[in-house]
Amino acid sequence: MIEIKTPGELDAMRAAGLVVARTLRRVAEAARPGVSTAELDQLAEETIREAGAVPSFKGYHGFPASICASVNEQIVHGIPAKKTVLAEGDLLSVDCGAILDGWHGDSAMTIEIGGVSERDRALSAATRAAMVAGIEAAVPNARLTDISHAIESAARRASSEDGIEYGMVAEYGGHGIGREMHMEPFLPNVGKPGKGPKLAVGMTLAIEPMLTAGSGETVELDDGWTVITADGSRAAHWEHTVAITEDGPWVLTAPEDDV
């Protein structure tokens, strides 16, 4: 069963999504050379709690922080640390979740630290474009894997346009979201269209492609959380929480000025 939300419940999820959007904006503004990912985590937690919300990630299956901060070859689930100090040219992916009045918002963005290489900038842009393509496919009566196919197709187009063979991270993907952070269904980032459940008004999904500048193969570190590229290539991660509505996709974690 995929949970269907009422209009009022979607409004409540939008409120949680705005907390996440504001938090990511503050983190992006603070992320610069010389700043540790632990400092960014503290800023994120303060921002979330100031809004009357609770960090989704902190304590989730034992995760020790309020954001995931993944640097360079780290794809997802990087643990913030005082010893992880950002440097010029780093690529930082920040994943953030907040719970407000029992409802979850979940979003991620890749942040350029100072001046990054054109290759890294293209990687992040390609990942964001894949996310946008997936969002645009999130419409009533489409099938779940129509989103997957849109993400994969956009990534392949970017590979051709950029002259870079982007790796598709297939082991990790999007998910249903609502009163829990991870709910049915699992949303693959690759796949043929026309498969899976039919999308209906009131469904909410976290759409989150991850691309690498090399192989799509991954390795989980001994900390039990951090996932890195097997070949050491850099990675990017973009995510939004999206509602299926009669008027098309509603990005619940978009900043207010982006709506």
Side-chain angles (χ1 to χ4, degrees):
M1 291 289 292
I2 301 175
E3 189 176 78
I4 302 294
K5 283 79 172 179
T6 66
E9 289 170 338
L10 291 182
D11 287 339
M13 287 190 68
R14 173 57 173 157
L18 284 172
V19 174
V20 174
R22 286 194 293 270
T23 303
L24 283 175
R25 175 168 287 178
R26 288 191 69 186
V27 168
E29 290 171 349
R32 59 185 181 274
V35 174
S36 73
T37 54
E39 291 175 275
L40 297 179
D41 180 64
Q42 182 179 356
L43 173 63
E45 180 167 358
E46 289 172 355
T47 304
I48 291 168
R49 294 193 185 279
E50 284 169 3
V54 177
S56 301
F57 298 173
K58 195 164 190 178
Y60 184 73
H61 295 297
F63 190 76
S66 296
I67 58 170
C68 298
S70 306
V71 184
N72 296 334
E73 75 280 1
Q74 297 176 352
I75 305 169
V76 287
H77 305 158
I79 300 174
K82 291 181 180 178
K83 66 180 181 180
T84 305
V85 178
L86 298 172
E88 184 81 13
D90 280 345
L91 210 55
L92 169 67
S93 293
V94 176
D95 196 350
C96 178
I99 311 166
L100 183 65
D101 297 328
W103 294 98
H104 286 259
D106 188 9
S107 183
M109 66 188 305
T110 295
I111 303 165
E112 300 171 6
I113 306 302
V116 303
S117 70
E118 286 301 321
R119 185 179 179 87
D120 285 348
R121 185 170 289 113
L123 169 64
S124 180
T127 309
R128 187 178 187 280
M131 176 191 67
V132 170
I135 291 170
E136 290 174 347
V139 295
N141 299 316
R143 294 284 182 177
L144 183 71
T145 64
D146 292 346
I147 299 175
S148 310
H149 183 67
I151 290 170
E152 182 179 6
S153 297
R156 300 301 181 207
R157 284 194 301 273
S159 286
S160 178
E161 292 168 0
D162 298 343
I164 302 171
E165 190 61 37
Y166 294 123
M168 301 290 301
V169 178
E171 295 138 276
Y172 302 89
H175 49 89
I177 184 170
R179 288 197 178 274
E180 298 175 31
M181 182 163 58
H182 292 111
M183 305 178 71
E184 293 296 330
F186 173 72
L187 173 57
N189 285 321
V190 298
K192 296 180 179 179
K195 299 183 181 298
K198 185 178 288 188
L199 302 182
V201 170
M203 289 182 179
T204 49
L205 299 167
I207 298 174
E208 52 175 324
M210 298 150 230
L211 299 183
T212 78
S215 168
E217 295 184 17
T218 69
V219 175
E220 185 178 273
L221 298 185
D222 291 341
D223 63 18
W225 286 102
T226 309
V227 178
I228 66 170
T229 57
D231 61 0
S233 61
R234 290 196 169 188
H237 177 203
W238 284 85
E239 175 186 19
H240 270 309
T241 297
V242 180
I244 314 299
T245 79
E246 293 177 352
D247 298 322
W250 181 15
V251 182
L252 300 174
T253 46
E256 286 180 289
D257 54 10
D258 283 0
V259 177

